[in-house]
Amino acid sequence: MSREIQIKDKEFELFITEEKIRERIHRIAGRMNRELKDKNPLFIAVLNGSFLFAAELLRHLNFLPEISFVKLSSYRGTSSTGEVNDLIGLNEDLRARNVVILEDIIDTGITIDFLIKDVKRHNPSSIKVATLTFKKQALVKPVDPDYIGFEVPNTFLVGFGLDYDQLGRNLNGIYKLKDHRNA
Ligand code: IMP
Ligand code: MG
């Protein structure tokens, strides 16, 4: 795993290793195995960013949940547009279901807030949120995820699903934007 990478105009440095990411995801899977096994949960993974988190997590569950995918986006470049585009793909019957939303990152919380409200309209029994990374300091909506991989600082990250201009999603580690202020 290289320690530094360049994507277009930006330099990134390794922040969380693949080993550490997988270990955290397996720990979340362990908790879900205890807490959700008997609840017939429906997992909803938010595309594009959560595909690797969802894959690693779901492969470590010891029960047989339903899994679906939705797509929504609010981001351009390295800063939030603050506006969520339409939700694509929520076709499941969510009535009386225990829904678990899977996200790659919660930044301002605007996206997950939008999705939670949308899911609520379908009258599920419960909604839980699992996110690989959580920029708690960047929140502008009151979001309190049930399962958190890493609390991360308010800096731009790529890798393990997270992109910069659609690139870097396939990196095995999570990299952070290099800070040149002290260089
Ligand atoms: P929010 O609506 O501000 O919480 O942003 C959520 C979405 O913005 C995520 O699902 C990501 O697609 C994107 N995002 C936020 N922070 C980052 C980051 O550091 N790197 C890459 N994408 C990010
Ligand atoms: Mg996303």
Side-chain angles (χ1 to χ4, degrees):
M1 205 180 317
S2 53
R3 296 207 65 86
E4 301 193 341
I5 48 145
Q6 170 110 24
I7 303 177
K8 295 190 173 175
D9 57 322
K10 302 225 183 298
E11 288 174 58
F12 295 86
E13 61 193 359
L14 186 61
F15 183 51
I16 310 172
T17 62
E18 174 180 7
E19 191 187 15
K20 189 84 196 157
I21 296 167
R22 293 192 192 279
E23 180 195 306
R24 280 296 166 87
I25 297 174
H26 300 166
R27 214 184 294 170
I28 293 175
R31 265 186 67 199
M32 289 182 171
N33 284 334
R34 292 190 295 277
E35 296 171 7
L36 303 175
K37 193 174 190 144
D38 305 319
K39 298 199 178 297
N40 187 27
L42 169 61
F43 284 86
I44 299 177
V46 184
L47 294 173
N48 296 326
S50 74
F51 75 112
L52 289 181
F53 173 45
E56 188 66 20
L57 179 73
L58 295 165
R59 290 192 302 135
H60 286 83
L61 297 178
N62 59 15
F63 56 99
L64 302 172
E66 282 174 61
I67 301 140
S68 191
F69 297 86
V70 295
K71 186 161 182 169
L72 31 77
S73 64
S74 72
Y75 243 63
R76 251 162 243 136
T78 57
S79 66
S80 179
T81 61
E83 135 198 357
V84 182
N85 299 320
D86 272 348
L87 185 69
I88 311 162
L90 193 58
N91 305 317
E92 273 64 29
D93 185 358
L94 305 182
R95 263 174 308 168
R97 296 300 305 271
N98 293 302
V99 172
V100 185
I101 299 172
L102 303 181
E103 259 290 20
D104 52 351
I105 191 161
I106 295 174
D107 180 12
T108 62
I110 290 170
T111 307
I112 196 77
D113 181 69
F114 174 93
L115 181 55
I116 289 170
K117 283 182 178 140
D118 215 78
V119 168
K120 270 189 184 152
R121 273 195 280 277
H122 293 77
N123 297 315
S125 292
S126 68
I127 305 174
K128 290 197 185 300
V129 173
T131 188
L132 179 60
T133 57
F134 184 35
K135 286 188 195 170
K136 201 173 185 177
Q137 295 146 9
L139 274 189
V140 300
K141 295 278 183 184
V143 178
D144 186 16
D146 302 275
Y147 303 93
I148 300 166
F150 301 91
E151 269 189 30
V152 294
N154 192 7
T155 50
F156 193 77
L157 306 174
V158 290
F160 214 88
L162 293 161
D163 70 300
Y164 168 52
D165 261 359
Q166 299 307 326
L167 299 178
R169 292 193 196 278
N170 62 320
L171 294 166
N172 287 320
I174 292 178
Y175 291 73
K176 71 171 186 187
L177 192 60
K178 254 186 156 173
D179 186 351
H180 287 288
R181 274 177 305 184
N182 306 316

